[in-house]
Amino acid sequence: MTFSQPKIVVIGGGAGGLELATRLGRKLGRKKRAEITLVDRNPSHLWKPLLHEVATGSLDDGVDAISYLAHARHNAFNFQLGSLTGIDRDTKKVILGELRDKNGELLVPLRELDYDILVIALGSTSNDFGTPGVKENCIFLDSPHQAHRFHDEMLNLFLRYSVRDNAEEKVNIAIVGAGATGVELSAELYNAVEQLTSYGFKGLDTDALNVTLVEAGERILPALPSRISGAAHQELNKLGVNVLTKTMVTSADEDGLNTKDDGKIRADLMVWAAGIKAPDFMKDIAGLETNRINQLIVKPTLQTTLDDTIFAIGDCASCAKPEGGFVPPRAQSAHQMASRCYDNIIAMMKDKPLKDYIYKDHGSLVSLSRFSTVGSLMGNLMRGDMMVEGRIARFVYISLYRMHQIALHGYVKTGLMMLVGSINRIIRPKLKLH
């Protein structure tokens, strides 16, 4: 299957998709060996593991977000703003939905893009498992838009509390799902309260905040080793988080969450972070094979099972591991998949054999805001995993983001961005207040 200047389309500009488009642009786009197009429904990119910091205001995405258009211009690929609505495998076209402004006025009509090689990197959305009332009453922290919504509602709650008449009243925030997002958001909320107090929110302190973290399983952070889960649980207890395990949420309403044992968790603000799925429209799209959570099932080469010219990477791909189980939906998985997909696309263009993707678990880290960081590291220097916490863990946690930046910008520009970040920490407020 030899190509001469193929059209390569990447759908989704998350961690994996943007890294892949960037590498393809530098390797093939600059030399006019291929035409690379990235498609995303948002005009800018933000590393998804940072969304909980945007939600609480400890990170200003106006500073850290990357403009797709500008990045595409500097890295020799094209960018199209739009959402995937369909794939025609017979004519090798992807269909992008029309774009409208906030008033419903048509900006860009429905479009079609030709492709020779297609990569689906759409990421994932929150999975409410059909729980009644969740969509209407909970925030899903899976996009910058949702993070901004949480931030606005959080500030309004704290403002209302600061002028309250009832001294016994508290700010009640409930988070369903004690994976990394739920745990990290819980800790960031206590950091936000301390910062807001220093900026003059009267009567607001950590005692005024009542955060409830709800987990249906037996422990928090179920994907991590139990000793790390235990360390994180202990740190959350120190902060004041009310951690409820073995608690099944059956419905949500405007007053809070209802549980299986007929309990009621009162909440002014609710976040659902209990699971993931690929977007609903991905179910059996273009006749491709998908699983029960709409992920595209891929071969070890990351090609979809029914079409070798369509790849899938990241959270929207269901990739089996040789030893059993499936590749977990993590940023490190998307990063690794992007690298293997890049190599396989180059091999495909040269009509060479493709290589299998083998997931390498480098460990997991969970940031509890500025209070602590816990996790495990895996590597060639040790057998199994090594638990880390404190400053070392925090350094490694930040390094994961730096690796993503280096993949996109290179070492020099990333170094300059780190310098600017250090300056901003001195001259800008520690919390975004608007």
Side-chain angles (χ1 to χ4, degrees), residues 225 227-228 330 332 360-364 375-388:
R227 66 181 186 275
I228 295 171
R330 297 179 183 172
Q332 63 173 303
K360 296 178 181 178
D361 189 351
H362 297 303
S364 301
S376 63
L377 298 179
M378 295 183 179
N380 297 327
L381 299 179
M382 63 202 80
R383 293 184 178 181
D385 61 296
M386 177 181 73
M387 181 172 173
V388 292

Side-chain angles (χ1 to χ4, degrees), residues 376-433:
S376 63
L377 298 179
M378 295 183 179
N380 297 327
L381 299 179
M382 63 202 80
R383 293 184 178 181
D385 61 296
M386 177 181 73
M387 181 172 173
V388 292
E389 56 185 321
R391 290 184 178 180
I392 294 176
R394 182 64 182 171
F395 173 78
V396 178
Y397 183 87
I398 294 173
S399 297
L400 297 176
Y401 181 43
R402 298 305 179 202
M403 288 172 59
H404 177 60
Q405 289 180 306
I406 290 168
L408 298 178
H409 306 296
Y411 287 96
V412 174
K413 193 171 180 179
T414 298
L416 292 173
M417 293 168 73
M418 291 170 63
L419 176 62
V420 171
S422 299
I423 295 171
N424 277 335
R425 280 193 292 274
I426 298 173
I427 64 175
R428 296 174 67 89
K430 292 183 178 179
L431 200 73
K432 187 177 180 182
L433 303 170

Side-chain angles (χ1 to χ4, degrees), residues 27-93:
K27 177 72 173 181
L28 304 175
R30 282 181 178 154
K31 300 176 182 178
K32 307 296 182 184
R33 291 171 54 194
E35 181 183 330
I36 298 98
T37 301
L38 175 68
V39 177
D40 198 275
R41 61 180 180 177
N42 298 305
S44 61
H45 163 83
L46 184 72
W47 201 49
K48 196 171 182 179
L50 296 176
L51 283 178
H52 69 282
E53 295 187 29
V54 176
T56 57
S58 57
L59 179 77
D60 186 351
D61 65 330
V63 175
D64 286 74
I66 300 170
S67 166
Y68 286 123
L69 273 174
H71 190 75
R73 170 68 178 82
H74 293 144
N75 292 279
F77 64 90
N78 304 311
F79 173 68
Q80 288 266 1
L81 182 66
S83 297
L84 177 70
T85 59
I87 302 170
D88 189 329
R89 291 166 52 203
D90 294 328
T91 60
K92 286 193 173 296
K93 294 179 185 292

Side-chain angles (χ1 to χ4, degrees), residues 128-129 131 176-177 214-218 244-252 257-265 272 274:
D128 64 3
F129 305 102
T131 309
V176 183
V214 186
E215 170 59 41
E218 295 189 355
L244 301 178
T245 55
K246 302 179 184 177
T247 303
M248 179 76 71
V249 174
T250 54
S251 65
L257 303 167
N258 302 302
T259 63
K260 190 175 182 179
D261 58 2
D262 295 327
K264 182 76 175 186
I265 300 170
W272 188 275

Side-chain angles (χ1 to χ4, degrees), residues 80-125:
Q80 288 266 1
L81 182 66
S83 297
L84 177 70
T85 59
I87 302 170
D88 189 329
R89 291 166 52 203
D90 294 328
T91 60
K92 286 193 173 296
K93 294 179 185 292
V94 293
I95 299 94
L96 305 183
E98 59 187 23
L99 291 176
R100 294 182 178 271
D101 64 16
K102 61 182 179 181
N103 297 318
E105 294 291 327
L106 181 66
L107 297 175
V108 182
L110 186 140
R111 292 153 288 160
E112 292 183 347
L113 295 179
D114 296 319
Y115 72 86
D116 295 300
I117 299 172
L118 177 63
V119 183
I120 309 295
L122 279 169
S124 60
T125 60

Side-chain angles (χ1 to χ4, degrees), residues 1-3 6 8 20 23-24 27-28 116-119 298-304 308-313 319 336-358:
M1 191 182 294
T2 306
F3 296 95
I8 304 172
L20 175 61
R23 291 189 66 184
L24 290 171
K27 177 72 173 181
L28 304 175
D116 295 300
I117 299 172
L118 177 63
V119 183
V298 297
K299 298 187 287 189
T301 55
L302 301 178
Q303 295 164 297
T304 53
D308 284 346
T309 62
I310 299 179
F311 292 79
I313 63 173
C319 183
Q336 294 172 24
M337 284 180 165
S339 295
R340 174 54 65 207
C341 187
Y342 167 83
D343 292 338
N344 280 347
I345 287 175
I346 300 298
M348 179 181 282
M349 290 177 60
K350 296 178 179 179
D351 207 17
K352 292 184 176 180
L354 278 59
K355 295 182 179 180
D356 291 351
Y357 164 63
I358 305 296

Side-chain angles (χ1 to χ4, degrees), residues 266-309:
R266 300 286 175 183
D268 306 301
L269 184 56
M270 293 168 279
V271 174
W272 188 275
I276 65 107
K277 63 178 180 178
D280 289 335
F281 72 86
M282 289 290 293
K283 184 66 177 174
D284 301 323
I285 189 169
L288 296 172
E289 190 179 5
T290 56
N291 64 11
R292 60 181 178 80
I293 57 171
N294 310 326
Q295 292 174 312
L296 289 164
I297 299 175
V298 297
K299 298 187 287 189
T301 55
L302 301 178
Q303 295 164 297
T304 53
T305 53
L306 301 179
D307 194 324
D308 284 346
T309 62

